[in-house]
Amino acid sequence: MTRAVLEQTIGGDVLAPGDDGYDEARTVWNAMVDRHPRFVVRCSDAADVAAALRYAREHDLEFGIRCGGHGIVGHAVPDGGLMIDLRPMGAVVVDPATRRARVQGGALLGALDVATQEHGLATTAGNVSHTGVGGLTLGGGMGWLARRHGLTCDNVVSFEVVTADGSIVRASAEEHPELFWALRGGGGNFGVVTEFEFVLHPEPGRTIAAEFHYPAAVAAMPMRRWRDLSATAPREATFTATISGQDVAVGLVWVGDPEAGGAAIAELDRELSAVAEPVARVVEPMSYLELQTREDDLEGHTWRRYWKGHYFRALDDELLDLVFERDEPYLPDVSLQAYGGAIADVDDDDTAFSRRDTAFEFVAAARWRDPSEDEARMSAARRYAGAMERFASGAYVNVLGDDGAAGLRRAYSDEKLARLTAVKDAYDPDNVFHLNQNIRPSAR
């Protein structure tokens, strides 16, 4: 197994321990992930991906796929294996006439947002610009436009995919339709996506973020009112809530006409203030690009991280009481984000993504710097989120961590798992792609 043989087949760069750029390449978003691949292959095109994949299989090397590196588990970084680094493949090409974007597999959300907003267009993308387009889309893709335009995966027209045998295929509604179905929510189980084609929507890029802050001791009733109002919110509004320490913020993010947004926020303020006066109001008009980058520093790459998440069809009072039981040390921060709208318009059978009847996504996310706190932080997050699991209707596959097969059963129904397994049997019967939230082929 020699580096020279690998370099002869790759148009991009090959990095090994000690090389300039190697440590940067192996460093991902979660600072708990500190692994050392034997090689990092910085791919320049789909042919490089296919060559790297063949090399890994021929030499019995574990391999992982890196784009943004935001996966909480760090599957992209195989210790002693081969990392396929897609980041050199980061181009975004927009056709404003057809309202389509071709996005290479290593692109980050920020590149997609900038390129599309130049033409007054956008498609649903996540909330942190240094997230990879690939991982977000393959798991589903929630963002501020989802209640208007559907999830990121709902806006994919086609995928270019390198499959387990090194073939390069295009998956769409007409070509490889079962693979196309599985890639929209089934994660990285079926191949390496080297190009996405997205449908775009006219979006002038005007947004408002509004937060109303309360001490935790008096926040329960305002949050109940916020929950009730979310059920009838316009699709331009995504209701959000966060709990950090003893600070509770409830509000919404509006993407659309600013006058209508201002009226919706004023109405929310009146309704909340009738229950309890907030200690602070934060209302920020901003561009769509500013909205898409405002959490970049908070979600930076230098923190140790762990999270647990749930989907809820409703936030009943008993569940919210549990959310506010925050007396022990090291409790994680909480975020709640409303679903519904265009997400629920898509029939659940149309894509691998599941649980479209979700009303709210809940994430308990811990971040810290001291490695000595690892077990205490993770245990607290497990206990806190575990107390609410009996109310959950499932979980988002992109938020699964160390959940194994039990996590997959939360993310997909039995029927969906059976269909995904059939696609796995057809495209990856040897489970070559297993460093992921793994859907095993039936023979394994």
Side-chain angles (χ1 to χ4, degrees):
M1 187 192 309
T2 68
R3 176 175 180 168
V5 171
L6 181 57
E7 288 178 326
Q8 287 171 8
T9 64
I10 300 295
D13 295 329
V14 177
L15 302 176
D19 289 346
D20 289 344
Y22 170 83
D23 283 330
E24 184 278 330
R26 71 177 184 86
T27 301
V28 290
W29 177 69
N30 184 356
M32 291 183 71
V33 179
D34 184 20
R35 306 191 195 115
H36 295 77
R38 181 170 300 192
F39 298 117
V40 176
V41 180
R42 293 178 54 77
C43 296
S44 59
D45 55 23
D48 273 1
V49 174
L53 177 58
R54 284 192 294 268
Y55 182 91
R57 297 196 66 181
E58 289 168 2
H59 293 86
D60 197 26
L61 284 175
E62 289 269 33
F63 68 89
I65 314 300
R66 166 149 196 185
C67 180
H70 273 236
I72 195 74
V73 181
H75 286 132
V77 194
D79 216 14
L82 187 148
M83 176 193 282
I84 295 176
D85 189 351
L86 300 180
R87 288 177 298 167
M89 302 167 56
V92 178
V93 178
V94 176
D95 185 338
T98 61
R99 294 180 184 168
R100 295 289 188 270
R102 291 191 176 273
V103 181
Q104 286 189 304
L108 302 184
L109 297 184
L112 173 61
D113 290 333
V114 169
T116 54
Q117 278 287 280
E118 287 180 6
H119 304 280
L121 301 169
T123 199
T124 303
N127 307 343
V128 178
S129 73
H130 45 75
T131 305
V133 171
L136 178 87
T137 306
L138 294 175
M142 181 59 183
W144 302 123
L145 295 176
R147 283 175 42 81
R148 292 180 60 195
H149 302 309
L151 299 166
T152 312
C153 71
D154 298 331
N155 288 277
V156 179
V157 178
S158 67
F159 303 86
E160 180 185 79
V161 190
V162 179
T163 59
D165 63 2
S167 300
I168 301 172
V169 304
R170 186 161 293 276
S172 67
E174 295 77 31
E175 303 173 86
H176 300 274
E178 279 297 286
L179 179 60
F180 181 63
W181 174 87
L183 290 169
R184 289 176 295 152
N189 276 281
F190 312 101
V192 184
V193 176
T194 51
E195 185 181 81
F196 300 82
E197 181 183 5
F198 290 104
V199 64
L200 305 177
H201 308 275
E203 283 295 344
R206 294 172 293 180
T207 77
I208 310 172
E211 293 180 346
F212 302 90
H213 290 259
Y214 294 90
V218 300
M221 290 306 295
M223 184 170 278
R224 285 168 167 72
R225 189 67 189 123
W226 167 89
R227 167 202 63 192
D228 295 342
L229 293 167
S230 176
T232 57
R235 292 189 175 199
E236 293 90 344
T238 302
F239 273 46
T240 64
T242 60
I243 305 175
S244 181
Q246 294 302 306
D247 177 67
V248 178
V250 295
L252 62 83
V253 170
W254 180 277
V255 183
D257 175 65
E259 184 173 349
I265 291 165
E267 176 64 18
L268 177 60
D269 190 357
R270 284 192 294 272
E271 293 282 348
L272 294 175
S273 298
V275 176
E277 184 69 15
V279 296
R281 295 173 172 84
V282 181
V283 179
E284 298 179 289
M286 64 188 78
S287 72
Y288 181 70
L289 292 180
E290 289 172 330
L291 174 68
Q292 290 292 88
T293 59
R294 73 174 183 149
E295 296 182 21
D296 282 6
D297 290 341
L298 175 67
E299 299 296 349
H301 284 69
T302 60
W303 294 89
R304 306 175 78 80
R305 297 180 181 274
Y306 187 81
W307 61 30
K308 302 293 282 187
H310 300 305
Y311 278 155
F312 296 123
R313 294 192 183 98
L315 297 176
D316 66 26
D317 288 352
E318 185 180 359
L319 170 58
L320 287 179
D321 287 343
L322 287 174
V323 170
F324 281 104
E325 287 186 8
R326 297 179 55 81
D327 295 330
E328 70 170 291
Y330 295 131
L331 282 180
D333 291 346
V334 170
S335 67
L336 285 160
Q337 188 166 357
Y339 275 46
I343 303 168
D345 288 346
V346 178
D347 190 280
D348 199 69
D349 291 334
D350 285 355
T351 66
F353 181 86
S354 302
R355 318 302 189 195
R356 289 184 181 269
D357 59 352
T358 294
F360 292 93
E361 182 187 356
F362 163 95
V363 179
R367 61 175 191 149
W368 67 100
R369 298 205 188 271
D370 185 349
S372 70
E373 297 178 3
D374 287 358
E375 186 53 41
R377 296 281 186 177
M378 292 189 291
S379 295
R382 291 189 197 107
R383 286 193 300 273
Y384 180 67
M388 302 163 209
E389 189 164 352
R390 61 192 171 95
F391 295 92
S393 58
Y396 182 23
V397 71
N398 277 351
V399 176
L400 295 180
D402 52 357
D403 304 84
L408 289 176
R409 290 192 294 272
R410 297 182 66 220
Y412 307 106
S413 67
D414 290 344
E415 294 77 14
K416 285 273 182 87
L417 275 174
R419 188 172 175 185
L420 287 164
T421 300
V423 179
K424 187 75 169 181
D425 289 345
Y427 288 92
D428 186 18
D430 297 323
N431 205 16
V432 170
F433 298 105
H434 61 268
L435 289 183
N436 44 45
Q437 298 297 337
N438 191 227
I439 296 164
R440 298 173 66 85
S442 57
R444 293 253 165 179

